[in-house]
Short mmCIF file of all heavy atoms in Angstrom, two decimals:
data_model
loop_
_atom_site.label_atom_id
_atom_site.label_comp_id
_atom_site.label_asym_id
_atom_site.label_seq_id
_atom_site.Cartn_x
_atom_site.Cartn_y
_atom_site.Cartn_z
N GLN A 84 110.92 96.88 127.27
CA GLN A 84 112.22 96.62 127.06
C GLN A 84 112.48 95.99 125.69
O GLN A 84 113.60 95.69 125.29
CB GLN A 84 112.86 95.86 128.21
CG GLN A 84 112.97 96.75 129.42
CD GLN A 84 113.37 95.86 130.68
OE1 GLN A 84 113.94 94.88 130.48
NE2 GLN A 84 113.01 96.34 131.77
N TYR A 85 111.35 95.50 125.06
CA TYR A 85 111.59 94.73 123.85
C TYR A 85 111.81 95.60 122.65
O TYR A 85 111.27 96.74 122.57
CB TYR A 85 110.39 93.87 123.61
CG TYR A 85 110.11 92.79 124.65
CD1 TYR A 85 108.84 92.46 125.11
CD2 TYR A 85 111.21 92.07 125.25
CE1 TYR A 85 108.62 91.54 126.06
CE2 TYR A 85 111.03 91.17 126.28
CZ TYR A 85 109.68 90.88 126.61
OH TYR A 85 109.54 89.88 127.56
N ALA A 86 112.59 95.09 121.70
CA ALA A 86 112.78 95.87 120.49
C ALA A 86 111.61 95.85 119.54
O ALA A 86 110.77 95.01 119.72
CB ALA A 86 114.06 95.09 119.78
N SER A 87 111.53 96.86 118.71
CA SER A 87 110.43 96.92 117.84
C SER A 87 110.47 95.85 116.82
O SER A 87 111.46 95.14 116.53
CB SER A 87 110.64 98.30 117.02
OG SER A 87 109.49 98.41 116.10
N HIS A 88 109.20 95.46 116.42
CA HIS A 88 109.03 94.40 115.45
C HIS A 88 109.55 93.01 116.06
O HIS A 88 110.20 92.24 115.38
CB HIS A 88 109.59 94.67 114.09
CG HIS A 88 108.74 95.79 113.38
ND1 HIS A 88 108.94 97.10 113.74
CD2 HIS A 88 107.72 95.72 112.47
CE1 HIS A 88 108.09 97.86 113.12
NE2 HIS A 88 107.36 97.04 112.34
N THR A 89 109.19 92.81 117.29
CA THR A 89 109.46 91.45 117.80
C THR A 89 108.15 90.93 118.51
O THR A 89 107.32 91.66 118.79
CB THR A 89 110.58 91.49 119.04
OG1 THR A 89 110.15 92.53 119.92
CG2 THR A 89 111.89 91.92 118.37
N ILE A 90 108.16 89.64 118.58
CA ILE A 90 106.86 88.95 119.14
C ILE A 90 107.33 88.08 120.36
O ILE A 90 108.31 87.49 120.33
CB ILE A 90 106.21 88.16 118.02
CG1 ILE A 90 104.87 87.70 118.51
CG2 ILE A 90 107.05 87.04 117.44
CD1 ILE A 90 103.88 87.40 117.46
N HIS A 91 106.49 88.14 121.36
CA HIS A 91 106.83 87.55 122.68
C HIS A 91 105.69 86.69 123.25
O HIS A 91 104.57 87.05 123.21
CB HIS A 91 107.16 88.68 123.66
CG HIS A 91 108.23 89.56 123.14
ND1 HIS A 91 109.51 89.30 123.24
CD2 HIS A 91 108.14 90.62 122.34
CE1 HIS A 91 110.32 90.16 122.58
NE2 HIS A 91 109.39 90.98 122.09
N TYR A 92 106.21 85.45 123.80
CA TYR A 92 105.23 84.66 124.43
C TYR A 92 104.99 85.22 125.90
O TYR A 92 105.79 85.77 126.49
CB TYR A 92 105.96 83.25 124.48
CG TYR A 92 105.07 82.30 125.33
CD1 TYR A 92 104.01 81.65 124.78
CD2 TYR A 92 105.56 81.89 126.65
CE1 TYR A 92 103.31 80.68 125.50
CE2 TYR A 92 104.92 80.98 127.30
CZ TYR A 92 103.67 80.31 126.78
OH TYR A 92 103.07 79.40 127.55
N GLY A 93 103.77 84.95 126.38
CA GLY A 93 103.56 85.38 127.71
C GLY A 93 102.12 85.14 128.11
O GLY A 93 101.35 84.38 127.53
N PHE A 94 101.58 85.98 129.07
CA PHE A 94 100.23 85.87 129.66
C PHE A 94 99.56 87.17 129.77
O PHE A 94 100.27 88.27 130.19
CB PHE A 94 100.24 85.14 130.95
CG PHE A 94 101.12 83.78 130.83
CD1 PHE A 94 102.46 83.77 131.15
CD2 PHE A 94 100.37 82.66 130.49
CE1 PHE A 94 103.15 82.62 131.11
CE2 PHE A 94 101.08 81.44 130.35
CZ PHE A 94 102.40 81.39 130.67
N ILE A 95 98.28 87.28 129.66
CA ILE A 95 97.49 88.52 129.94
C ILE A 95 96.93 88.15 131.36
O ILE A 95 96.36 87.07 131.64
CB ILE A 95 96.38 88.79 128.96
CG1 ILE A 95 97.02 89.06 127.64
CG2 ILE A 95 95.53 89.83 129.54
CD1 ILE A 95 97.84 90.31 127.46
N MET A 96 97.22 89.04 132.38
CA MET A 96 96.81 88.81 133.67
C MET A 96 95.64 89.56 134.07
O MET A 96 95.33 90.72 133.66
CB MET A 96 97.95 89.18 134.58
CG MET A 96 99.34 88.70 134.26
SD MET A 96 99.47 86.85 134.21
CE MET A 96 99.27 86.54 135.94
N GLU A 97 94.83 88.89 134.96
CA GLU A 97 93.66 89.64 135.58
C GLU A 97 94.21 90.41 136.76
O GLU A 97 95.31 90.16 137.27
CB GLU A 97 92.65 88.61 136.06
CG GLU A 97 92.11 87.75 134.94
CD GLU A 97 90.62 87.56 134.98
OE1 GLU A 97 89.88 88.52 134.94
OE2 GLU A 97 90.30 86.35 135.14
N GLU A 98 93.30 91.39 137.27
CA GLU A 98 93.73 92.19 138.31
C GLU A 98 94.13 91.37 139.55
O GLU A 98 95.16 91.81 140.30
CB GLU A 98 92.65 93.17 138.70
CG GLU A 98 92.80 94.55 137.88
CD GLU A 98 91.74 95.49 138.28
OE1 GLU A 98 90.50 95.08 138.17
OE2 GLU A 98 92.06 96.62 138.69
N ASP A 99 93.48 90.33 139.85
CA ASP A 99 93.83 89.55 140.96
C ASP A 99 94.99 88.63 140.96
O ASP A 99 95.20 87.76 141.62
CB ASP A 99 92.59 88.76 141.39
CG ASP A 99 92.17 87.75 140.38
OD1 ASP A 99 92.88 87.57 139.37
OD2 ASP A 99 91.15 86.98 140.61
N GLY A 100 95.65 88.71 139.77
CA GLY A 100 96.90 87.99 139.59
C GLY A 100 96.71 86.62 138.88
O GLY A 100 97.73 85.93 138.68
N THR A 101 95.47 86.35 138.51
CA THR A 101 95.28 84.97 137.80
C THR A 101 95.47 85.28 136.37
O THR A 101 95.31 86.32 135.77
CB THR A 101 93.93 84.40 138.10
OG1 THR A 101 92.89 85.46 137.63
CG2 THR A 101 93.72 84.02 139.43
N VAL A 102 95.76 84.14 135.64
CA VAL A 102 96.09 84.20 134.19
C VAL A 102 94.76 84.26 133.45
O VAL A 102 93.90 83.40 133.66
CB VAL A 102 96.96 82.96 133.78
CG1 VAL A 102 96.98 82.87 132.25
CG2 VAL A 102 98.26 83.14 134.29
N LEU A 103 94.61 85.28 132.56
CA LEU A 103 93.39 85.32 131.78
C LEU A 103 93.54 84.48 130.52
O LEU A 103 92.73 83.76 130.14
CB LEU A 103 93.22 86.88 131.41
CG LEU A 103 91.81 87.16 130.66
CD1 LEU A 103 90.71 86.61 131.44
CD2 LEU A 103 91.79 88.70 130.46
N ASP A 104 94.77 84.68 129.84
CA ASP A 104 95.00 83.80 128.64
C ASP A 104 96.52 83.77 128.31
O ASP A 104 97.33 84.58 128.76
CB ASP A 104 94.30 84.42 127.36
CG ASP A 104 94.16 83.50 126.21
OD1 ASP A 104 94.46 82.27 126.41
OD2 ASP A 104 93.80 83.86 125.02
N GLU A 105 96.82 82.72 127.56
CA GLU A 105 98.21 82.51 127.12
C GLU A 105 98.27 83.23 125.83
O GLU A 105 97.41 82.88 124.87
CB GLU A 105 98.46 80.99 126.97
CG GLU A 105 99.82 80.59 126.76
CD GLU A 105 99.86 79.08 126.57
OE1 GLU A 105 98.81 78.50 126.21
OE2 GLU A 105 100.91 78.45 126.87
N VAL A 106 99.22 84.05 125.49
CA VAL A 106 99.24 84.90 124.40
C VAL A 106 100.63 85.06 123.70
O VAL A 106 101.61 84.76 124.30
CB VAL A 106 98.68 86.39 124.67
CG1 VAL A 106 97.32 86.27 125.12
CG2 VAL A 106 99.60 87.00 125.63
N MET A 107 100.62 85.65 122.47
CA MET A 107 101.77 86.09 121.87
C MET A 107 101.58 87.58 121.60
O MET A 107 100.51 88.02 121.05
CB MET A 107 102.03 85.39 120.46
CG MET A 107 102.33 84.04 120.42
SD MET A 107 103.72 83.51 121.24
CE MET A 107 105.01 84.04 119.96
N VAL A 108 102.55 88.40 122.05
CA VAL A 108 102.33 89.88 121.96
C VAL A 108 103.42 90.48 121.07
O VAL A 108 104.61 90.14 121.19
CB VAL A 108 102.42 90.53 123.36
CG1 VAL A 108 102.39 92.11 123.25
CG2 VAL A 108 101.28 90.09 124.19
N SER A 109 102.95 91.20 119.95
CA SER A 109 103.99 91.85 119.13
C SER A 109 104.00 93.35 119.33
O SER A 109 103.02 93.96 119.59
CB SER A 109 103.67 91.50 117.68
OG SER A 109 102.36 91.60 117.33
N VAL A 110 105.28 93.88 119.23
CA VAL A 110 105.56 95.33 119.47
C VAL A 110 105.98 95.87 118.18
O VAL A 110 106.88 95.41 117.60
CB VAL A 110 106.50 95.44 120.61
CG1 VAL A 110 106.82 96.89 120.87
CG2 VAL A 110 106.17 94.76 121.88
N MET A 111 105.28 96.96 117.74
CA MET A 111 105.80 97.79 116.60
C MET A 111 105.94 99.15 116.90
O MET A 111 104.84 99.82 117.31
CB MET A 111 104.75 97.55 115.46
CG MET A 111 104.94 96.11 114.83
SD MET A 111 103.35 95.59 114.03
CE MET A 111 102.40 94.97 115.42
N LYS A 112 107.08 99.70 116.98
CA LYS A 112 107.33 101.06 117.39
C LYS A 112 107.08 101.99 116.28
O LYS A 112 107.48 101.75 115.11
CB LYS A 112 108.72 101.22 117.90
CG LYS A 112 108.93 100.27 119.22
CD LYS A 112 108.96 101.12 120.51
CE LYS A 112 109.07 100.10 121.71
NZ LYS A 112 110.44 99.82 121.99
N ALA A 113 106.64 103.31 116.64
CA ALA A 113 106.37 104.34 115.66
C ALA A 113 107.83 104.68 115.09
O ALA A 113 108.77 104.68 115.74
CB ALA A 113 105.84 105.59 116.34
N PRO A 114 107.90 105.07 113.77
CA PRO A 114 106.75 105.24 112.85
C PRO A 114 106.51 103.99 111.96
O PRO A 114 105.71 104.07 111.06
CB PRO A 114 107.19 106.36 111.97
CG PRO A 114 108.70 106.15 111.85
CD PRO A 114 109.17 105.57 113.15
N TYR A 115 107.12 102.83 112.26
CA TYR A 115 107.12 101.65 111.34
C TYR A 115 105.92 100.70 111.83
O TYR A 115 106.11 99.57 112.09
CB TYR A 115 108.42 100.98 111.37
CG TYR A 115 109.54 101.89 110.94
CD1 TYR A 115 110.50 102.32 111.94
CD2 TYR A 115 109.62 102.35 109.66
CE1 TYR A 115 111.44 103.20 111.52
CE2 TYR A 115 110.60 103.28 109.27
CZ TYR A 115 111.58 103.67 110.29
OH TYR A 115 112.50 104.52 109.91
N SER A 116 104.76 101.33 111.83
CA SER A 116 103.55 100.47 112.11
C SER A 116 102.45 100.87 111.13
O SER A 116 102.63 101.89 110.36
CB SER A 116 103.15 100.58 113.55
OG SER A 116 102.57 102.02 113.70
N TYR A 117 101.23 100.20 111.17
CA TYR A 117 100.16 100.59 110.34
C TYR A 117 99.64 101.93 110.47
O TYR A 117 99.41 102.62 109.60
CB TYR A 117 99.03 99.60 110.59
CG TYR A 117 97.77 99.64 109.68
CD1 TYR A 117 97.86 99.24 108.44
CD2 TYR A 117 96.63 100.17 110.18
CE1 TYR A 117 96.82 99.31 107.59
CE2 TYR A 117 95.45 100.26 109.34
CZ TYR A 117 95.54 99.90 107.97
OH TYR A 117 94.46 100.02 107.20
N THR A 118 99.70 102.47 111.77
CA THR A 118 99.10 103.76 112.09
C THR A 118 100.32 104.72 112.18
O THR A 118 100.02 105.96 112.27
CB THR A 118 98.43 103.73 113.38
OG1 THR A 118 99.35 103.12 114.38
CG2 THR A 118 97.21 102.94 113.42
N MET A 119 101.44 104.28 112.06
CA MET A 119 102.69 105.22 112.34
C MET A 119 102.77 105.56 113.77
O MET A 119 103.57 106.43 114.17
CB MET A 119 102.72 106.52 111.50
CG MET A 119 102.97 106.14 110.03
SD MET A 119 103.15 107.72 109.01
CE MET A 119 104.86 108.13 109.28
N GLU A 120 102.03 104.92 114.65
CA GLU A 120 102.12 105.09 116.10
C GLU A 120 102.65 103.86 116.75
O GLU A 120 102.64 102.80 116.06
CB GLU A 120 100.76 105.42 116.62
CG GLU A 120 100.02 106.69 116.07
CD GLU A 120 98.56 106.64 116.59
OE1 GLU A 120 97.96 105.66 116.92
OE2 GLU A 120 98.01 107.72 116.38
N ASP A 121 103.08 103.91 118.02
CA ASP A 121 103.48 102.68 118.73
C ASP A 121 102.22 101.73 118.63
O ASP A 121 101.08 102.20 118.94
CB ASP A 121 103.78 102.96 120.19
CG ASP A 121 105.21 103.50 120.30
OD1 ASP A 121 105.89 103.54 119.30
OD2 ASP A 121 105.49 103.93 121.40
N THR A 122 102.41 100.50 118.26
CA THR A 122 101.37 99.58 118.16
C THR A 122 101.73 98.25 118.80
O THR A 122 102.82 97.78 118.69
CB THR A 122 100.93 99.32 116.66
OG1 THR A 122 100.65 100.54 116.04
CG2 THR A 122 99.82 98.30 116.56
N VAL A 123 100.78 97.76 119.60
CA VAL A 123 100.91 96.50 120.22
C VAL A 123 99.76 95.50 119.82
O VAL A 123 98.69 95.96 119.86
CB VAL A 123 100.94 96.54 121.72
CG1 VAL A 123 101.17 95.16 122.30
CG2 VAL A 123 102.11 97.42 122.18
N GLU A 124 100.08 94.31 119.36
CA GLU A 124 98.96 93.38 118.99
C GLU A 124 99.05 92.21 119.82
O GLU A 124 100.18 91.54 120.00
CB GLU A 124 99.07 93.04 117.43
CG GLU A 124 98.72 94.14 116.60
CD GLU A 124 98.72 93.85 115.18
OE1 GLU A 124 99.05 92.77 114.80
OE2 GLU A 124 98.34 94.79 114.34
N ILE A 125 98.01 91.85 120.49
CA ILE A 125 97.87 90.73 121.42
C ILE A 125 97.24 89.61 120.68
O ILE A 125 96.00 89.70 120.27
CB ILE A 125 97.13 91.03 122.70
CG1 ILE A 125 97.70 92.26 123.38
CG2 ILE A 125 97.01 89.96 123.53
CD1 ILE A 125 96.75 92.81 124.43
N ASN A 126 97.99 88.46 120.31
CA ASN A 126 97.37 87.36 119.70
C ASN A 126 96.90 86.41 120.84
O ASN A 126 97.72 85.75 121.44
CB ASN A 126 98.41 86.63 118.91
CG ASN A 126 98.86 87.31 117.64
OD1 ASN A 126 98.65 86.87 116.62
ND2 ASN A 126 99.31 88.55 117.77
#
Side-chain angles (χ1 to χ4, degrees):
Q84 292 171 26
Y85 296 143
S87 182
H88 292 78
T89 53
I90 186 159
H91 305 274
Y92 173 78
F94 307 92
I95 297 296
M96 310 300 291
E97 301 223 59
E98 267 179 310
D99 63 3
T101 56
V102 170
L103 187 55
D104 196 12
E105 189 183 25
V106 295
M107 297 292 290
V108 171
S109 45
V110 179
M111 287 154 277
K112 299 258 175 77
Y115 304 108
S116 72
Y117 184 72
T118 51
M119 287 185 86
E120 300 169 339
D121 281 353
T122 300
V123 177
E124 286 182 2
I125 306 169
N126 289 239

